[in-house]
Structure formats: structure tokens, C-alpha cells
Amino acid sequence: MVVADVILIISRGGGAFFSRWAHVVVGITWIGLLYYFNFVQVPAFAEMDAAARNNAIDKLASRALWWFRWAAVLTVLTGLSILLFQKNADKAQLFSGDYWKSVSGMSIATGILLALTMFANVWLVIWPNQKKVIANARNVQAGGEADPAAAAAGRRGALASRQNTIYSFTMLMFMVGTAHFFYSGNGFKALPSSGDRATYWIIAIVIWALFEANALGWIGGTGQNVTNWMYESHKNALITGGVLVVIYYALFYLVLKS
Ligand code: HEM
């Protein structure tokens, strides 16, 4: 009976619906903590004395980072689950690539590109560097010598964290816009030509890559310089994130409007 009910729910579109619901729950957990780190914790830590900060890193930041990185994993998994369920009725279309050539497909593909980059930043940059910061705070609390490399590790993690904040607004525009705005019939092309798609992707990928390379320190290093202006305060990151939304919206609109 239970199995039959589950099959009924899924056949009525419940698989896509509950994946979508779970995706938003874990997505807000991840991005909510990202905003907490950027808008609350970093400015507060800057005003604390070293002993209080080390204690907060040990007891508070370490816990927040646990929820942060596992919420990121669940966000990716539930996002993939929506994709698999919602095109269930027409899997051939999803896997043949035709879906990805539509305006909606291009919208969600852009959102996923940004979200996967943010996911890689969490697991390959922010977390490995934060582990060093936490280990140092615990060691100093226990009376050990401070690790001279901890500050540089914190800085590398902070650049990636601010870059994730910058990407997040555009990423969410495409996540939400796929079903609610960027679709043919709403002023966008029914079938973008291969030329349209190439123009869009070349520009979209160049912008994405420049920002990510900058966050990794590959353009101007990790110090304070002109290209790292956007990472020096959460206000600068917010301004840059807003500008990026306008740039990607203008690109999508100009290339793909019908
Ligand atoms: C790699 C990671 C991700 C994947 C694979 C993914 C995938 C998806 C897919 C397939 C959709 C449905 C699009 C449609 O309407 O057709 C979606 C929607 C959405 N995603 Fe993601 N996503 C990812 C990351 C994120 C993140 C980090 C957030 C942050 C909160 C997020 C929030 C949302 C929201 C709010 C929607 C809109 C739900 C709706 O319109 O009903 N996603 N995502």
C-alpha cells in the first residue's frame, strides 16, 4: 500500500515537487550560512580580541561550517534530483541535449555552472583553509604556538567566500528564473540558433572564468589590489554581486529575446 502511494505521488509529479521543496530547504541553509559568514561573522570577528575570536572559531564557526558544507552537498544532490524527476516524462529530450538548447535549459545550465563553482569553492578552497584556521585557534587556546600560515589560509578562504556571495545573486536569478521568467513565450526565443547559443556561452563563460580566476588569486594575487577590491568588504561584494546580476541579465536578454 505504502509503495503504491509513493508511486502514485511520483507519477503525479511529486518526485519533482518534493525534490524542489527539499532543494529550496537545503539551498537556503547553505546560502543563509554563506550570508551569515560574510555579513555577520567576519565583521564581528574583526572587532573581537584574539582570545574571544579563537574561542568563537573553535565553538561557533566550526559548527556553522559543518552545516554549511553538508547543506552544499545536499543542495547539489536535490538539484540533480529535480532534473531527473521533472523531465521524467520526456527523458530522451533531457539526455539528447535538446532541453539544454532551449532558453529554460540555458538558464538552468548557467545557474548550475555558478552553483557548482560555488560548491567547488566550499569544498576545495574554503573548507581546507578554514580547517587550518580552526586548528590554529584550538592550538593557541591550548597554549600552543600560533601558526604563521593561518592568516594567509584565512585570506584565501575569505576571497572564495566573498566570490561565492558575488555569484549567489546571479545563480539565484537563474534558479528561480528557469520556471518563472526565462522561458519561450515570455518574450524569449522558442529555439535559439546555434549562433545565439555560442555567443551567449562564450561571453557567459569568459565572465564566470575571470571572476573565479580572480578569487583564486590567479590574476592579481591574494593581496590587496585593484582586482581584489570587490573582496575587501561585504559592501563591495554586495555592489559587485548586483552589477553581475545586471550584466548576466543584459547578456541573456540581448542575445535570447524573441
Ligand atoms: C549544483 C547545484 C545545483 C543544481 C544542480 C540545481 C538545480 C536546480 C534545478 C534543476 C532547478 C529547477 C529549475 C526549473 O525550474 O526547471 C532548480 C531550481 C531552484 N534552485 Fe537550484 N540547483 C543548484 C544549486 C542551488 C543553490 C545553491 C540554491 C540556493 C538557494 C538553489 C536554489 C534554487 C531555487 C530557489 C530554485 C527555484 C525553485 C522553483 O522555481 O520552484 N539551487 N535548481
Side-chain angles (χ1 to χ4, degrees):
M1 198 56 199
V2 174
V3 174
D5 286 338
V6 169
I7 291 171
L8 189 70
I9 289 168
I10 291 177
S11 68
R12 284 182 178 168
F17 169 68
F18 284 109
S19 302
R20 217 172 248 269
W21 164 78
H23 185 60
V24 174
V25 170
V26 292
I28 59 173
T29 307
W30 173 14
I31 304 304
L33 282 166
L34 173 72
Y35 294 162
Y36 157 76
F37 287 129
N38 276 270
F39 307 150
V40 181
Q41 182 177 291
V42 170
F45 278 17
E47 288 182 9
M48 287 181 181
D49 62 54
R53 187 167 52 240
N54 283 336
N55 201 16
I57 290 171
D58 175 15
K59 299 286 185 317
L60 182 121
S62 59
R63 282 188 168 86
L65 277 161
W66 187 91
W67 287 97
F68 175 71
R69 65 184 185 278
W70 291 110
V73 170
L74 290 178
T75 305
V76 174
L77 293 179
T78 50
L80 295 177
S81 173
I82 306 175
L83 269 184
L84 291 174
F85 273 118
Q86 78 175 353
K87 300 295 159 193
N88 214 14
D90 200 358
K91 263 194 182 144
Q93 198 201 23
L94 180 64
F95 292 109
S96 73
D98 283 355
Y99 172 65
W100 305 103
K101 294 178 185 168
S102 71
V103 166
S104 303
M106 290 172 74
S107 165
I108 198 62
T110 314
I112 292 173
L113 171 73
L114 298 175
L116 282 178
T117 310
M118 293 167 61
F119 177 77
N121 283 340
V122 168
W123 278 93
L124 302 177
V125 185
I126 298 172
W127 177 230
N129 283 298
Q130 280 301 317
K131 271 200 278 194
K132 292 182 193 157
V133 173
I134 294 169
N136 177 58
R138 288 181 176 156
N139 185 41
V140 170
Q141 277 192 317
E145 279 286 301
D147 175 4
R155 170 77 178 168
R156 272 192 296 277
L159 295 186
S161 184
R162 290 243 161 91
Q163 182 54 52
N164 275 6
T165 302
I166 292 168
Y167 279 146
S168 70
F169 308 111
T170 304
M171 180 276 292
L172 276 170
M173 173 175 76
F174 286 117
M175 287 292 157
V176 177
T178 298
H180 305 284
F181 192 71
F182 298 121
Y183 52 87
S184 61
N186 191 33
F188 293 96
K189 289 182 178 166
L191 212 59
S193 68
S194 57
D196 295 334
R197 297 200 308 272
T199 307
Y200 174 76
W201 280 119
I202 288 168
I203 300 171
I205 285 174
V206 167
I207 298 168
W208 156 79
L210 282 174
F211 273 92
E212 183 59 13
N214 192 40
L216 296 174
W218 296 349
I219 293 182
T222 56
Q224 290 194 335
N225 58 45
V226 182
T227 59
N228 289 345
W229 171 87
M230 64 187 90
Y231 309 129
E232 298 312 343
S233 70
H234 58 283
K235 186 178 146 216
N236 295 4
L238 278 168
I239 294 168
T240 313
V243 170
L244 201 63
V245 167
V246 174
I247 291 173
Y248 270 97
Y249 178 76
L251 171 65
F252 204 94
Y253 178 78
L254 292 174
V255 179
L256 300 171
K257 73 171 189 290
S258 53

